[in-house]
């Protein structure tokens, strides 16, 4: 009947609980979609929308008239700009709608430029157009110039946004993954049922962290491989340092998830709390645009948020090649969040 | 086996706000006995049983299970206890076998997964997801989870509520066999036939107190049929239902 046999590893409660966490997650199609597919769709969408289209050439509009022919010839010869011809009214419209940055008209004794100086690219376009027309008219540059071009990967929008998406994903799966699972177990009196077994509480909580670890590897790999091979997002730092950052960030968010779910008894209650915590970080922590855009008074607050720390560290590692020591302040912020959240969560956790 | 009662409850009290859920309750269950807790809805049965399971703390009073104290040796006690709660929902995404394998891993002394699956007759559903089981099958799985740790004392809170007649009878067999192996069962039920069939002794609880206690057959014999409210048809022998009704009154409790 009963037996006390030697235990295999797979019979260890920690292994069994981690396995059940894992199975419970992958059998939830929605959760798999939001964790794995959604970030990739997001990266793909943003990458395509903001992809580099080669150097942007200024568009110059030329109002056709008998005297504008020579200016048009000069402009057409210059390959650094695009010249288009318009009549009076369509030219004005093209300028108004931004199809051209500058409108060139011939007037007696010269050319006349029409543009809005407040538009950043308009003044440049005027310089381009003027240089082409002057050169065509016989002007000679007196100083010889040469150019060399650099095209740096790592400065594009996709390079900025992939580390941000990674940070956001670590936060989401840590907080949602733990929060919903724990509150559901409490709500269904499953936690209470476990309390009537010799299960160790610490192992129960640990099993969540461990199952997160398994997913962490999968999540990070899918997004990074996608970003790296499809969009050429650089991975300049050591992969070991990157793994360490992801690990600390993930544990930190998991601890936050534990804290958020430590008291709530309904999933409605905990989702409100999760949104309350995550929404400010989505906006402030530099996922889609740099957090430097916010006024300097709030910068210390923003820097103290775990997602800001995670994103900054990920960017520093991936784009600038920073080592773990190079992102020590961010790691410190994450470790602080982790210890405080975990400590408080353990204290106030409602086991029944 | 050590001497002394399997369960001893002395002057137990538990209040929720100003509701006295348990109000000075006493129980003594001998080892190897099947003991029934009966009483109307809200009488305090679940509260009492959950205090005995170490899941709720009492306001005052003493509880000893298998001679052990919850405050002193909780881990040792949990090892020897089998529990089925009134309202647990097991994880829906796991299969029957996976659920039992996990529960089994918590215990030192235990049965195999296949043994308990056979005990509750869930062999066909071994690899079915918990979410796809019927209500009665879920209930049987909950009991399998209580048995997998090979407990010395089993607490069952309304184990047969929602079961079809066949499942009820197969569960009765299971309980009878468990008792015959010399171990103790404390159960609550609203079915008088069940209590009559299974329990050596019962206690009727109302308003958090034991209002009658004794051997099941003696309690039945003690009822004076002439005192039953009219228009009860006259019968020559009383049933447990008569005991219950005459003690707790006829009006519905909806507190
Ligand atoms: N968590 C709680 N908070 C407040 N009141 C509670 C709580 N749990 C139980 N009660 C109250 O305590 C009383 C006893 O409840 P208990 O669940 O022990 O009854 P019971 O005998 O098991 O009833 P039933 O036969 O319906 O299962 C009831 O009045 C109930 O409303
Ligand atoms: Mg009850």
């Amino acid at each position: 009947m009963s037996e006390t046999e030697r235990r295999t590893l797979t019979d260890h409660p920690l292994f069994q609980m981690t396995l059940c966490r894992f199975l419970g997650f992958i059998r939830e199609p929605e959760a798999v979609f939001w964790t794995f597919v959604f970030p990739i769709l997001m990266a793909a969408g943003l990458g395509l929308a903001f992809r580099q289209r080669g150097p942007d050439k200024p568009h110059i509009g030329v109002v056709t008239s008998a005297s504008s022919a020579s200016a048009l010839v000069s402009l057409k010869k210059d390959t650094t700009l695009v010249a288009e011809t318009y009549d009076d009214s369509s030219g004005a419209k093209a300028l108004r709608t931004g199809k051209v940055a500058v409108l060139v008209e011939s007037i007696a004794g010269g050319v006349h430029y029409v543009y809005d100086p407040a538009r950043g690219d308009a003044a440049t376009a005027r310089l381009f157009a003027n240089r082409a027309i002057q050169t065509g008219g016989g002007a000679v540059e007196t100083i010889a110039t040469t150019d060399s071009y650099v095209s740096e990967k790592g400065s594009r929008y996709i390079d900025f946004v992939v580390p941000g998406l990674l940070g956001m994903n670590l936060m989401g799966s840590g907080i949602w993954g733990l929060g919903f699972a724990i509150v559901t177990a409490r709500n269904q009196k499953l936690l209470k049922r476990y309390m009537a077994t010799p299960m160790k509480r610490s192992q129960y909580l640990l099993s969540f962290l461990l199952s997160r670890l398994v997913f962490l590897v999968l999540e990070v790999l899918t997004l990074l491989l996608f970003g790296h091979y499809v969009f050429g997002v650089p991975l300049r730092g050591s992969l070991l340092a990157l793994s360490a950052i992801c690990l600390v960030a993930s544990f930190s968010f998991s601890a936050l998830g534990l804290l958020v779910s430590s008291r709530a008894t309904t999933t409605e209650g905990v989702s409100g709390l999760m949104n309350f915590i995550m929404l400010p970080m989505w906006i402030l922590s530099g996922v889609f645009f740099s957090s430097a855009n916010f006024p300097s008074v709030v910068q210390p607050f923003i820097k103290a948020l775990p997602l800001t720390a995670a994103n900054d560290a990920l960017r520093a590692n991936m784009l600038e090649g920073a080592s773990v020591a190079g992102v020590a302040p961010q790691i410190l912020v994450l470790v602080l969040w982790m210890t405080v959240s975990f400590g408080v969560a353990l204290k106030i956790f409602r086991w029944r | 086996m050590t001497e002394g009662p399997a369960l001893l409850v002395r002057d137990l009290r538990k209040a929720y706000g100003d509701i006295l859920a348990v109000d000075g309750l006493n129980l003594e269950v001998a080892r190897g006995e099947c003991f029934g807790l009966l009483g109307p809805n809200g009488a305090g049965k679940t509260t009492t049983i959950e205090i005995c399971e170490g899941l709720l703390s009492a306001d005052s009073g003493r509880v000893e299970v298998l001679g052990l104290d919850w405050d002193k040796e909780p881990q040792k006690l949990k090892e020897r206890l089998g529990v089925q709660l009134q309202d647990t929902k097991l994880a829906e995404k796991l299969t029957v076998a996976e659920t039992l394998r996990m529960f089994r891993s918590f215990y030192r002394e235990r049965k195999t997964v296949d043994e308990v699956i056979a005990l509750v007759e869930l062999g066909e559903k071994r690899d079915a997801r918990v979410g796809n089981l019927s209500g009665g099958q879920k209930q049987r799985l909950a009991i399998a989870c209580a048995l997998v740790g090979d407990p010395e004392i089993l607490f069952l809170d309304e184990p047969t509520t929602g079961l079809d007649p066949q499942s009820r009878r197969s569960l009765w067999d299971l309980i009878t066999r468990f008792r015959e192996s010399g171990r103790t069962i404390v159960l609550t039920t609203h079915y008088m036939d069940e209590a009559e069939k299974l329990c050596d002794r019962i206690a009727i609880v109302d308003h958090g107190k034991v209002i009658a206690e004794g051997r099941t057959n003696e309690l039945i014999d003690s009822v004076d049929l002439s005192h039953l409210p009219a228009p009860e048809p006259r019968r020559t022998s009383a049933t447990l239902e008569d005991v219950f009704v005459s003690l707790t009154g006829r009006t519905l409790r909806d507190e």
Side-chain angles (χ1 to χ4, degrees):
Chain A
M1 287 266 291
S2 76
E3 43 183 320
T4 25
E5 82 273 50
R6 282 195 85 77
R7 268 172 197 256
T8 55
L9 168 73
T10 55
D11 194 26
H12 194 279
L14 195 52
F15 178 91
Q16 279 297 324
M17 281 191 279
T18 308
L19 178 71
C20 289
R21 298 284 99 75
F22 182 82
L23 293 175
F25 181 86
I26 55 168
R27 287 173 187 171
E28 197 93 59
E30 295 93 335
V32 172
F33 173 81
W34 289 110
T35 328
F36 295 109
V37 185
F38 181 69
I40 289 199
L41 290 181
M42 194 94 147
L46 291 168
L48 289 177
F50 293 93
R51 75 180 179 282
Q52 223 83 349
R53 270 172 247 109
D56 262 351
K57 295 180 179 177
H59 285 235
I60 316 288
V62 181
V63 181
T64 46
S65 66
S67 55
S68 68
S70 66
L72 183 60
V73 171
S74 310
L75 287 169
K76 287 272 188 203
K77 257 198 274 181
D78 193 325
T79 54
T80 63
L81 52 78
V82 180
E84 289 152 7
T85 53
Y86 294 95
D87 61 33
D88 270 342
S89 64
S90 64
K93 189 175 170 221
L95 185 64
R96 215 170 42 242
T97 54
K99 280 186 74 177
V100 298
V102 172
L103 208 53
V104 183
E105 293 169 0
S106 288
I107 53 161
V111 288
H112 176 63
Y113 298 108
V114 185
Y115 64 99
D116 175 2
R119 254 185 73 180
D121 57 336
T124 322
R126 183 207 171 277
L127 289 174
F128 271 72
N130 190 48
R131 189 193 57 190
I133 291 168
Q134 300 295 347
T135 314
V140 184
E141 286 182 350
T142 50
I143 296 173
T145 60
T146 54
D147 303 282
S148 55
Y149 299 106
V150 285
S151 161
E152 193 77 61
K153 275 187 180 155
S155 54
R156 303 162 306 167
Y157 183 66
I158 186 75
D159 303 321
F160 177 83
V161 89
V162 163
L165 285 176
L166 188 56
M168 184 177 85
N169 205 30
L170 292 178
M171 173 170 85
S173 46
I175 293 184
W176 271 315
L178 256 73
F180 281 122
I182 288 178
V183 174
T184 307
R186 185 181 292 123
N187 184 257
Q188 301 190 338
K189 304 286 160 70
L190 196 52
L191 265 189
K192 188 175 184 174
R193 177 64 185 87
Y194 290 145
M195 285 303 101
T197 71
M199 180 197 81
K200 294 199 176 63
R201 296 175 181 194
S202 54
Q203 288 187 351
Y204 179 76
L205 297 180
L206 209 56
S207 74
F208 280 98
L209 293 189
L210 285 181
S211 72
R212 281 288 310 129
L213 211 62
V214 178
F215 290 116
L216 176 72
V217 175
L218 298 175
E219 269 168 55
V220 171
L221 275 183
T222 43
L223 190 57
L224 282 187
L225 291 180
F226 179 81
H228 190 63
Y229 289 106
V230 177
F231 287 109
V233 174
L235 291 170
R236 298 214 171 90
S238 81
L239 291 182
L240 204 65
L242 183 59
S243 316
I245 296 169
C246 289
L247 194 71
V248 175
S250 173
F251 278 179
S252 180
F253 290 126
S254 302
L256 212 55
L258 216 57
L259 179 63
V260 171
S261 57
S262 56
R263 302 292 304 169
T265 48
T266 63
T267 46
E268 290 84 355
V270 79
S271 19
L273 207 54
M274 287 179 192
N275 287 337
F276 175 74
I277 288 191
M278 292 200 282
L279 195 68
M281 290 201 265
W282 282 327
I283 296 168
L284 297 173
S285 292
V287 175
F288 299 106
F289 53 88
S290 168
S291 60
N293 290 326
F294 291 100
S296 57
V297 268
V298 292
Q299 287 299 332
F301 167 72
I302 292 179
K303 286 261 179 283
L305 294 174
L307 186 56
T308 318
N311 285 346
D312 288 354
L314 289 170
R315 288 200 179 106
N317 172 273
M318 289 168 60
L319 307 183
E320 294 155 36
S323 65
V324 171
V327 294
Q330 284 84 5
I331 299 272
L332 186 71
V333 169
L334 289 171
V335 170
L336 271 177
W337 275 101
M338 175 165 66
T339 21
V340 172
S341 307
F342 199 76
V344 175
L346 270 188
K347 270 241 148 52
I348 66 171
F349 201 86
R350 194 201 295 264
W351 284 101
R352 295 174 180 158
Chain B
M1 218 176 240
T2 37
E3 293 307 306
L7 174 69
L8 184 74
V9 176
R10 282 283 163 266
D11 202 26
L12 195 68
R13 280 167 214 278
K14 172 83 182 176
Y16 292 107
D18 30 303
I19 301 169
L20 286 172
V22 182
D23 185 17
L25 188 135
N26 294 292
L27 288 177
E28 194 168 328
V29 179
R31 293 190 194 232
E33 191 170 52
C34 180
F35 190 87
L37 272 180
L38 276 59
N41 292 139
K45 305 180 296 295
T46 297
T47 309
T48 303
I49 220 168
E50 288 188 355
I51 294 172
C52 296
E53 291 159 349
L55 295 175
L56 282 174
S57 57
D59 295 340
S60 67
R62 190 158 71 97
V63 173
E64 251 176 45
V65 185
L66 303 169
L68 299 172
D69 194 323
W70 274 112
D71 291 331
K72 288 179 201 135
E73 291 165 295
Q75 211 59 22
K76 210 164 159 186
L77 244 175
K78 285 174 178 179
E79 196 66 58
R80 299 162 66 181
L81 208 69
V83 163
Q84 173 254 324
L85 301 177
Q86 195 174 352
D87 47 8
T88 300
K89 289 208 195 76
L90 294 163
E92 305 236 306
K93 299 283 168 188
L94 300 177
T95 68
V96 167
E98 285 161 357
T99 304
L100 286 168
R101 215 172 291 135
M102 180 182 69
F103 270 93
R104 177 173 190 267
S105 74
F106 300 150
Y107 295 90
R108 258 196 284 271
E109 299 258 329
R110 63 251 178 99
K111 292 187 178 298
T112 68
V113 168
D114 290 323
E115 267 175 328
V116 282
I117 285 182
L119 279 177
V120 297
E121 294 171 25
L122 273 180
E124 270 173 46
K125 296 287 172 182
R126 193 177 192 285
D127 296 311
R129 299 260 177 98
V130 174
N132 296 336
L133 297 181
S134 75
Q137 291 164 342
K138 282 181 186 156
Q139 187 74 344
R140 270 140 66 190
L141 176 59
I143 292 173
C145 290
L147 290 173
V148 78
D150 200 20
E152 281 168 51
I153 181 167
L154 196 54
F155 289 98
L156 304 174
D157 199 355
E158 299 194 18
T160 60
T161 300
L163 294 190
D164 63 31
Q166 281 86 353
S167 309
R168 272 180 83 196
R169 275 176 179 73
S170 96
L171 197 60
W172 288 356
D173 287 345
L174 191 155
I175 292 170
T176 309
R177 267 179 282 140
F178 186 85
R179 198 196 72 98
E180 280 165 358
S181 69
R183 288 171 286 183
T184 315
I185 297 156
V186 177
L187 60 84
T188 75
T189 180
H190 288 296
Y191 303 113
M192 299 304 141
D193 55 337
E194 183 167 299
E196 271 190 69
K197 175 132 178 47
L198 293 178
C199 300
D200 303 302
R201 285 193 314 129
I202 58 171
I204 296 177
V205 181
D206 200 6
H207 298 296
K209 286 188 185 74
V210 175
I211 54 170
E213 186 186 1
R215 303 203 68 79
T216 311
N217 47 6
E218 289 169 13
L219 269 181
I220 294 171
D221 293 343
S222 73
V223 175
D224 183 352
L225 281 176
S226 63
H227 283 134
L228 277 180
E232 198 70 32
R234 290 278 164 258
R235 278 175 279 132
T236 45
S237 83
T239 66
L240 192 55
E241 189 132 0
D242 298 327
V243 182
F244 189 83
V245 169
S246 66
L247 284 168
T248 60
R250 305 227 67 186
T251 46
L252 192 67
R253 301 287 170 81
D254 54 358
E255 29 173 12

